[in-house]
Amino acid sequence: MSAMTARSPVRLFLQRLFRRKLVLVAVIILLVIVLLAILAPWISPYSPTGMRVSQRLRPPSLTNWFGTDEFGRDVLTRIIYGGRASLGIGVAVVMCTMLAGTVLGLIAGYFRALDAVIMRLVDAMMSLPDILLAIFLVAVLGASAGNVVLALSIVYTPRVTRVVRSSTLVVRELPFVEAARALGVSTWRIMTMHILLNVASPILVQATFIFAYAVLAEAGLSFLGAGVPPDIPTWGTMIAAGQQYADRAVWLVLFPGLAIVFAALSLQLLGDGLRDMLDPKLRKAL
Amino acid sequence: MFAALARRLAGMLIVMFIVATMVFFLTRLAPGDPAALMLGEQASLADVAELRKTYGLDQPVIVQYALWLKELLRGNLGQSIFLQRPVIVAIAERAEPTFFLALLSILVATAIGVPAGIASAVWRGRASDQAVSGGAMLAASIPSFWLGLIFIQFFAVRLGWFPVAGYGPPGASFAERLYHLMLPASVLGIVNSALITRFTRASMLDVLNEDYVRTARAKGLSEARVILRHGLGNALVPIITVVGLTAALLVGGAIVTETVFGLPGIGNLVVSAVLRRDYPVIQGALIVIAGIYVLINFSIDVMYTLVDPRVKY
Amino acid sequence: MMETSVQERPLLDIRGLEVTFRTEGGDVVPVRGVDLRVEAGKTTALVGESGSGKSVTSLAIMGLLPRPYGRVSKGVAEFRRRSGAVVDLASAGQGVVRALRGNEIAMIFQEPMTSLNPVMTVGEQIAEQVRLHMALAPQAAMRHAVEMLSLVEIPDAARRAGDYPHQMSGGMRQRVMIALAMSCNPRLLIADEPTTALDVTIQAQILDLIERLRKEHSMGVLFITHNLAVVAEIADTVTVMYAGEVVEKANVRDIFHNSRHPYTAALVDCLPERARRDSNGRRIVAAIPGSVTSAAEATGCRFAPRCQRAVEACEAGSPELLVAGTGHEVRCFRWSEA
């Protein structure tokens, strides 16, 4: 009996999440991409940096599934390694935005005086297109993988802040918070706990979407030369480097781009599935 | 009504003020001396000091900030380091391709998103609905620069239907310039159609469940008229909002697309300014683009009053 | 002579109507075996608790069942048109029924607050229907709309025609709905709980208005309600539904004084006027114990689980509608004992 109850919430969660087959497909694709990135050194067919001048710009074949680049490096191998950087940056951005957004949102929702200041800042930041603000920040900070993470975290934090703040505003009016205050319990502690429980699901949804946006934005920044330095293989830098050979070797552009599309699509499908499942208001619209 | 619009206007100004402040101070974080950057590596220390003085860079930061704000209020965005002309002039020179690119793209995005969203809502739960939702998600997952490169390879290089890049030779006719925008506008429109599709679907779903839609059917109106006049008529406010929002987002997307297609627009200006560390241009472009965003939002609010008689300011 | 022909052929004659809804958990039949008649110039009340299938029945008549999930799976709904031709609404194509909607058959709904389009003026909303069915030019249609608004006693109709629904009260909006329904001079008006959402004083005015229009236009009215007090005021004949079935049909006097179905009898007993007084002189309003059985799970008589007169036979098989007198039918094995 106890084993049943311990297992069923997770099973129930997954059952409901996978009721839409597309979400299941998305999760499988995502798992494959992540596993490939993690296991890159063990499963890649070639070395990501091994140049073979004799094998330059070879089209996709049985030996090089996705072809080779201008230095004769295997494109598939570089995509697998590129996933490490691209997804790694995405994960880092997600973690930073979750942390910063939650703290700022709690503060904004809890302290009326700071609310106006923080929300004006959020408004101002959201009045600039993602990619433009990111380019500007990277330009100021200097182009490096770390600074790309920092810039994108700054860009996407306002989204999380908004979600957490609105939830905080709702929770602070709940009767039991009043009751806790009357009993002399530290409201701050109670509220924080309760709000965190409350915002867990919208934040989870936000996290998957921000992950997808971050992967797309990193690629865009790297492509423009305002992101990760070209010597580190990411999906974005690979497209940027392949661009000038696009008319002769379209696979240099095509395959890294498809990797981005698959990653972003499966993340967004997952986020969409989570939102439908966790938000009862939206579920009826299905 | 005017009081509320005035309040919105004041809110806009505050946002713009914060953007300006943010942009100014963040730029100061950048490594390197702008004056040294301007004169290049061979410049003597005396020359650098001289230039610092002309630009007021020897003053305390807070004084520079005040000066900068004052100039900003007069419409002066400063002087480009590399282009040897005022930033506002540099931006104005590049505005045309960006403006028409954004306009065409928003037309493409709306032409895709609104009908797809309506169809998806009307045939909710069926195969066409799922196809539309999947398609919208896919469109939102495609990096616009990558789609641009692929489109160039296919439609321009292989098929030769469109020019590969650029905005036509100098003195090209308006039609020729628009022709150069077709491919980039398609790319930007497709990538940005997703939000419009999803919003249209959601708001049409809400509206089609309303009692007045049942009333419209009870009047004996054709299904097309029920959906378009009574359904879409009531879904217009959220759809206008999302089209406006998309228009604002497009400005950002345009930066990358312009680079791919070699269009001499504001995006191209910004990217080259970033690569050359031409900070006044970056600052100016950020402020102009934020201003456009805020203005679009304000126009959306004004448009509500025209579309929905219940909205009274 | 007019009278006799009316007697011979009712305006609306529904026989054996069954509606099926396709759901994720299989088919659901919210309405089955519904027999219902509306005579020209007369009011038939369709009475039942919420969930008894009365609204679904009205939507089926209008061809407004939610597509693609709901459909009429059995039965006929014969409607006699102005031309005298008879059309079966249950089997006629969408186009045929649509041409009748808003034209020869009109409907008013329970919720006046949400039943009008908020972004069109009320005049436009009426004129739209008039243009469609009466082929009037826009200006003539708008003049007609204004006339309709005066017909339903909206003061200063010409000016109010330019109002949006949100500028009007609930009672006003229901008048607009009635004006809309009346605008093409329908032969049949279906009124689905038209007064339920309104204040009591407004309720009486709206009922009077519907009564007046029925008489002046010799229009048949199908009045759907759960409120027997309203039924007593306006109905000529009454059809009582329970759990998707018609359980009793009779003229209004028989329903109140000679009801044969235990459910009808119980409903009548629930009326506040019928309340007994307890020893302290307080009035006790009767209630029917239990709740409506879901249409899907019933095998025998659907009312049996709540019926005080139920015997074994009632659980075993479902009774047909039996004739209990002139124009009086009842679905109960034991009707004669009542």
Side-chain angles (χ1 to χ4, degrees):
Chain A
M1 190 66 208
S2 65
M4 275 278 292
T5 46
R7 216 176 53 190
S8 27
V10 177
R11 268 184 58 185
L12 206 70
F13 179 88
L14 291 179
Q15 260 171 13
R16 276 171 58 196
L17 183 61
F18 294 152
R19 208 163 54 196
R20 282 165 66 190
K21 291 288 165 292
L22 216 51
V23 178
L24 179 64
V25 174
V27 169
I28 291 171
I29 293 176
L30 203 58
L31 280 177
V32 169
I33 295 174
V34 169
L35 279 177
L36 283 176
I38 292 174
L39 302 175
W42 295 281
I43 53 171
S44 296
Y46 299 90
S47 151
T49 48
M51 302 188 194
R52 291 166 300 158
V53 181
S54 60
Q55 304 288 312
R56 293 183 75 227
L57 299 177
R58 289 287 164 93
S61 66
L62 282 176
T63 46
N64 300 96
W65 291 0
F66 289 179
T68 63
D69 69 6
E70 69 272 25
F71 298 111
R73 295 174 299 197
D74 181 51
V75 172
L76 174 60
T77 302
R78 285 180 68 78
I79 287 178
I80 293 173
Y81 272 91
R84 297 192 126 191
S86 291
L87 296 175
I89 287 173
V91 169
V93 169
V94 166
M95 292 192 326
C96 293
T97 51
M98 294 301 114
L99 192 69
T102 306
V103 170
L104 284 173
L106 279 174
I107 292 173
Y110 198 71
F111 300 108
R112 288 260 156 88
L114 286 172
D115 186 31
V117 177
I118 292 176
M119 290 324 285
R120 284 294 142 189
L121 211 58
V122 164
D123 282 347
M125 288 180 57
M126 290 183 95
S127 71
L128 289 168
D130 298 1
I131 196 84
L132 182 63
L133 186 54
I135 290 176
F136 171 63
L137 290 170
V138 173
V140 166
L141 298 165
S144 73
N147 284 340
V148 168
V149 171
L150 184 56
L152 292 179
S153 301
I154 294 172
V155 170
Y156 293 118
T157 292
R159 292 168 188 266
V160 184
T161 306
R162 279 199 167 170
V163 171
V164 176
R165 171 185 174 265
S166 60
S167 180
T168 310
L169 288 178
V170 171
V171 172
R172 57 179 292 161
E173 303 303 327
L174 291 180
F176 82 94
V177 177
E178 300 271 338
R181 202 175 297 145
L183 286 171
V185 184
S186 153
T187 40
W188 172 248
R189 230 183 87 197
I190 287 217
M191 273 188 60
T192 312
M193 278 305 295
H194 195 83
I195 290 162
L196 288 180
L197 286 175
N198 254 285
V199 296
S201 28
I203 281 194
L204 190 61
V205 174
Q206 280 290 319
T208 53
F209 281 108
I210 288 177
F211 197 162
Y213 300 150
V215 168
L216 286 167
E218 180 276 315
L221 287 177
S222 300
F223 173 76
L224 292 175
V228 179
D231 51 317
I232 302 175
T234 74
W235 296 332
T237 55
M238 288 179 71
I239 297 175
Q243 185 187 5
Q244 54 180 308
Y245 303 98
D247 48 347
R248 278 169 288 162
V250 76
W251 56 90
L252 291 185
V253 171
L254 186 68
F255 291 114
L258 284 178
I260 298 172
V261 172
F262 272 106
L265 181 60
S266 54
L267 279 166
Q268 296 207 59
L269 282 171
L270 175 61
D272 203 45
L274 285 170
R275 178 165 52 196
D276 286 343
M277 192 182 80
L278 297 172
D279 188 342
K281 281 196 299 287
L282 287 167
R283 207 177 306 150
K284 75 169 165 48
L286 259 176
Chain B
M1 171 164 177
F2 287 108
L5 283 184
R7 219 177 310 129
R8 291 277 305 149
L9 221 58
M12 280 168 54
L13 286 176
I14 293 174
V15 165
M16 287 310 298
F17 169 72
I18 295 173
V19 169
T21 307
M22 215 164 65
V23 164
F24 178 85
F25 285 103
L26 282 173
T27 310
R28 301 295 126 167
L29 290 178
D33 182 346
L37 206 63
M38 249 164 126
L39 291 172
E41 281 168 22
Q42 278 88 40
S44 70
L45 279 175
D47 285 347
V48 171
E50 177 69 29
L51 198 69
R52 285 176 66 87
K53 208 165 181 180
T54 11
Y55 281 91
L57 292 171
D58 54 342
Q59 309 264 9
V61 172
I62 197 76
V63 176
Q64 291 183 35
Y65 172 60
L67 266 171
W68 189 72
L69 274 187
K70 200 179 114 198
E71 289 301 308
L72 201 59
L73 283 176
R74 294 171 49 200
N76 181 5
L77 293 174
Q79 191 79 14
S80 163
I81 298 178
F82 287 92
L83 299 171
Q84 279 26 149
R85 69 193 83 179
V87 170
I88 192 82
V89 172
I91 289 177
E93 284 170 354
R94 307 293 196 95
E96 192 204 285
T98 305
F99 174 76
F100 284 110
L101 174 62
L103 195 68
L104 282 179
S105 309
I106 201 72
L107 286 179
V108 171
T110 309
I112 296 173
V114 171
I118 294 174
S120 181
V122 169
W123 291 299
R124 167 174 55 149
R126 306 216 209 142
S128 49
D129 177 22
Q130 274 154 16
V132 167
S133 294
M137 201 73 84
L138 178 65
S141 305
I142 300 176
S144 58
F145 66 90
W146 177 73
L147 189 64
L149 291 173
I150 299 293
F151 269 28
I152 290 173
Q153 281 310 310
F154 191 72
F155 291 109
V157 175
R158 296 272 151 83
L159 296 173
W161 291 354
F162 297 99
V164 172
Y167 199 46
S173 69
F174 184 62
E176 201 172 337
R177 280 177 287 166
L178 281 190
Y179 181 52
H180 278 79
L181 288 177
M182 302 288 262
L183 210 49
S186 311
V187 168
L188 209 47
I190 289 171
V191 170
N192 284 287
S193 65
L195 198 64
I196 298 181
T197 306
R198 293 170 62 91
F199 251 77
T200 304
R201 176 181 184 271
S203 42
M204 282 300 282
L205 275 182
D206 279 350
V207 167
L208 289 178
N209 279 325
E210 292 283 351
D211 289 345
Y212 51 76
V213 169
R214 186 183 55 187
T215 304
R217 290 206 172 96
K219 284 158 80 171
L221 303 176
S222 69
E223 199 57 22
R225 194 170 169 90
V226 169
I227 289 164
L228 296 179
R229 180 78 171 89
H230 293 264
L232 189 59
N234 278 283
L236 270 186
V237 164
I239 291 175
I240 286 177
T241 310
V242 75
V243 169
L245 258 167
T246 306
L249 290 173
L250 269 178
V251 180
I255 295 170
V256 189
T257 311
E258 280 177 13
T259 310
V260 174
F261 285 91
L263 289 170
I266 295 175
N268 227 320
L269 180 72
V270 171
V271 171
S272 43
V274 165
L275 298 179
R276 292 190 298 216
R277 300 183 163 252
D278 193 344
Y279 291 112
V281 172
I282 309 177
Q283 287 180 338
L286 278 164
I287 286 165
V288 167
I289 288 171
I292 292 170
Y293 177 90
V294 168
L295 262 181
I296 289 176
N297 270 305
F298 181 70
S299 326
I300 295 172
D301 280 355
V302 175
M303 234 184 290
Y304 284 169
T305 52
L306 303 178
V307 172
D308 191 333
R310 285 166 299 182
V311 179
K312 284 274 181 292
Y313 280 107
Chain C
M1 186 203 143
M2 187 69 189
E3 281 296 297
T4 51
S5 76
V6 163
Q7 289 299 328
E8 280 160 10
R9 199 97 209 227
L11 178 64
L12 178 70
D13 190 2
I14 296 177
R15 295 187 303 274
L17 186 79
E18 180 183 287
V19 174
T20 305
F21 276 44
R22 209 174 62 228
T23 70
E24 274 178 36
D27 283 0
V28 172
V29 184
V31 160
R32 79 172 69 183
V34 165
D35 289 7
L36 183 71
R37 275 175 176 223
V38 182
E39 309 284 349
K42 294 278 172 63
T43 298
T44 295
L46 185 56
V47 181
E49 293 165 86
S50 49
S52 61
K54 49 195 200 308
S55 287
V56 172
T57 304
S58 67
L59 292 178
I61 298 168
M62 291 290 283
L64 290 179
L65 290 171
R67 275 172 296 157
Y69 312 104
R71 66 192 167 90
V72 174
S73 41
K74 253 186 219 161
V76 292
E78 286 178 348
F79 174 72
R80 192 156 50 87
R81 301 191 53 172
R82 264 184 217 124
S83 61
V86 171
V87 54
D88 176 17
L89 300 172
S91 62
Q94 274 294 323
V96 176
V97 182
R98 189 188 302 139
L100 293 173
R101 279 207 294 265
N103 185 7
E104 298 194 35
I105 308 175
M107 185 158 182
I108 50 183
F109 299 97
Q110 181 170 353
E111 275 300 332
M113 302 309 278
T114 53
S115 291
L116 288 165
N117 187 338
V119 302
M120 285 169 84
T121 65
V122 297
E124 279 175 58
Q125 296 189 50
I126 298 173
E128 185 186 30
Q129 174 172 304
V130 170
R131 280 209 308 276
L132 176 72
H133 294 300
M134 299 169 79
L136 288 183
Q139 282 164 342
M142 189 52 92
R143 276 198 301 276
H144 186 82
V146 172
E147 277 169 37
M148 282 298 135
L149 291 174
S150 350
L151 181 74
V152 297
E153 295 151 22
I154 288 180
D156 201 4
R159 195 176 54 80
R160 297 312 295 261
D163 277 3
Y164 288 95
H166 72 273
Q167 294 165 301
M168 296 182 148
S169 67
M172 268 308 168
R173 291 192 212 181
Q174 198 59 301
R175 283 176 193 275
V176 171
M177 280 301 290
I178 295 172
L180 175 67
M182 293 304 299
S183 62
C184 296
N185 198 13
R187 295 179 43 84
L188 173 65
L189 176 70
I190 301 175
D192 187 357
E193 306 254 12
T195 59
T196 308
L198 301 174
D199 289 346
V200 182
T201 47
I202 312 288
Q203 279 187 12
Q205 292 172 15
I206 296 290
L207 286 181
D208 287 347
L209 177 63
I210 293 174
E211 272 297 273
R212 199 196 87 209
L213 293 171
R214 174 182 66 81
K215 284 180 195 139
E216 286 172 6
H217 298 255
S218 65
M219 162 179 80
V221 175
L222 179 61
F223 197 100
I224 297 167
T225 182
H226 66 278
N227 185 345
L228 277 185
V230 170
V231 172
E233 264 180 63
I234 55 145
D236 297 299
T237 56
V238 180
T239 299
V240 181
M241 284 187 76
Y242 182 82
E245 288 180 338
V246 169
V247 293
E248 188 159 12
K249 287 166 70 174
N251 65 45
V252 67
R253 196 178 315 115
D254 282 343
I255 286 291
F256 282 96
H257 302 291
N258 192 22
S259 66
R260 293 297 186 174
H261 196 282
Y263 176 65
T264 314
L267 275 184
V268 172
D269 278 342
C270 293
L271 278 174
E273 300 92 277
R274 298 287 182 100
R276 289 168 289 117
R277 286 180 190 276
D278 67 9
S279 48
N280 298 326
R282 283 184 300 221
R283 302 211 302 180
I284 309 169
V285 178
I288 307 174
S291 58
V292 184
T293 326
S294 147
E297 61 197 49
T299 51
C301 171
R302 299 198 175 172
F303 188 59
R306 296 169 78 183
C307 182
Q308 293 173 344
R309 280 191 262 157
V311 293
E312 241 171 72
C314 302
E315 311 270 354
S318 181
E320 295 297 306
L321 269 182
L322 306 167
V323 177
T326 321
H328 193 162
E329 289 170 60
V330 58
R331 194 185 296 275
C332 179
F333 291 124
R334 309 186 63 195
W335 64 269
S336 56
E337 300 163 34

